[in-house]
Amino acid sequence: MQLLTGKIILLTGGSRGIGFECALKYAEAGAIVVILSNDPVSLATAIAALGSSHSAILADVAVPADVERAVQQTLEKYGRIDVIHNNAGIAHPSSPLHETTEAEWDDVMNVNLKSIYLTTRYGIEALKQSKGCIINTSSLVGEIGQENHAAYTASKGAVNSLTKSMALDYAPFQIRVNAVAPAGVWTPMLREWGQHQNNGQGIEQYMNAIHPLGYCPEGDVIADACVFLASDKARFITGHVMHVSGGAELGYRALLQATETV
């Protein structure tokens, strides 16, 4: 039996990058995946790859009416929701706090943080019925910080603390809440970030060097961890921010090596 057979997973930001890798792995593990995205082109491409048993919903995760509609459509079609994976996120702008505009700050907080509030607000009753779980995609920089990314790191630090509070609030209903925290992962968003850095040509060496395991991975390594967290194998894990980082947060080795190669 596959780990996620019969589970209905609502996945935000599931048409590109880590989210799409998660969608593929969830489907491979036997789940039915409902992808939310505000990008119709990538949404169509993703659902074509997944197949007709899965669903795609065009929605802005920062808009309450869109999220409420997506939850209702999922329940009407499949009758239940077992997992809500809050993966949608943006990293722009690459700037310190005083150079971040109010509009940029609001965009990051709305997509990265408010979206979790909205999916929980509209989806919690379904999760109570299924005794399901919530997975939040965070980032290692939410714990260790990162220069020139004040809004992004603030949003991910908030995701980490929110994950723990949600785990406590919903434990009485047997709902587990966890987060995954990647370091570097090759996604379209990361490659776009690299283009805005001073040493864009050295970004691949840099990204490999910050991971003690020696390489920057693709999104499938995050997806494998999410499959585990969504499954009954993780039935006694809640309130955990799981580093899927290749050891990037450990010791001084990664920092020194990165400095030497960039």
Side-chain angles (χ1 to χ4, degrees), residues 215-237:
Y215 65 97
C216 181
E218 301 292 333
D220 61 324
V221 301
I222 313 302
D224 283 337
C226 290
V227 168
F228 167 71
L229 288 174
S231 77
D232 291 340
K233 297 291 186 182
R235 61 190 177 277
F236 208 63
I237 298 174

Side-chain angles (χ1 to χ4, degrees), residues 16 41 44 83 94 184 186 190 222:
R16 303 175 70 217
V41 175
V83 180
S94 298
W186 289 122
L190 178 61
I222 313 302

Side-chain angles (χ1 to χ4, degrees), residues 90-91 93 108 112 138-139 141 146 149-157 189:
I90 57 174
V108 171
N112 294 4
S138 184
S139 171
V141 300
Q146 184 180 29
H149 280 84
Y152 180 73
T153 58
S155 73
K156 293 304 185 179
M189 189 166 70

Side-chain angles (χ1 to χ4, degrees), residues 34 52-56 71-80:
V34 180
S52 59
S53 62
H54 307 275
S55 294
V71 169
Q72 289 304 314
Q73 287 181 2
T74 302
L75 291 172
E76 288 169 6
K77 185 168 184 177
Y78 299 107
R80 60 187 290 129

Side-chain angles (χ1 to χ4, degrees), residues 93-246:
S94 298
S95 62
L97 189 61
H98 72 283
E99 294 178 5
T100 302
T101 69
E102 185 175 355
E104 289 170 336
W105 175 270
D106 288 344
D107 283 346
V108 171
M109 294 301 165
N110 285 339
V111 175
N112 294 4
L113 194 59
K114 183 182 177 182
S115 62
I116 299 176
Y117 158 68
L118 292 175
T119 60
T120 304
R121 179 179 178 184
Y122 295 115
I124 192 64
E125 293 304 321
L127 291 181
K128 287 180 181 179
Q129 292 295 318
S130 65
K131 295 184 179 179
C133 71
I134 297 171
I135 300 172
N136 299 322
T137 299
S138 184
S139 171
L140 186 62
V141 300
E143 296 189 15
I144 65 174
Q146 184 180 29
E147 62 182 350
N148 293 325
H149 280 84
Y152 180 73
T153 58
S155 73
K156 293 304 185 179
V159 168
N160 292 347
S161 58
L162 181 60
T163 296
K164 297 173 188 294
S165 292
M166 291 169 67
L168 292 171
D169 287 339
Y170 303 130
F173 305 101
Q174 298 298 297
I175 296 171
R176 298 180 297 106
V177 186
N178 294 292
V180 288
V185 178
W186 289 122
T187 64
M189 189 166 70
L190 178 61
R191 295 190 186 282
E192 181 182 354
W193 170 80
Q195 293 173 3
H196 290 88
Q197 305 312 302
N198 292 331
N199 186 16
Q201 292 182 341
I203 193 65
E204 185 164 352
Q205 284 182 310
Y206 169 75
M207 294 309 303
N208 288 337
I210 65 172
H211 301 87
L213 287 181
Y215 65 97
C216 181
E218 301 292 333
D220 61 324
V221 301
I222 313 302
D224 283 337
C226 290
V227 168
F228 167 71
L229 288 174
S231 77
D232 291 340
K233 297 291 186 182
R235 61 190 177 277
F236 208 63
I237 298 174
T238 195
H240 179 53
V241 180
M242 177 182 286
H243 294 178
V244 190
S245 62

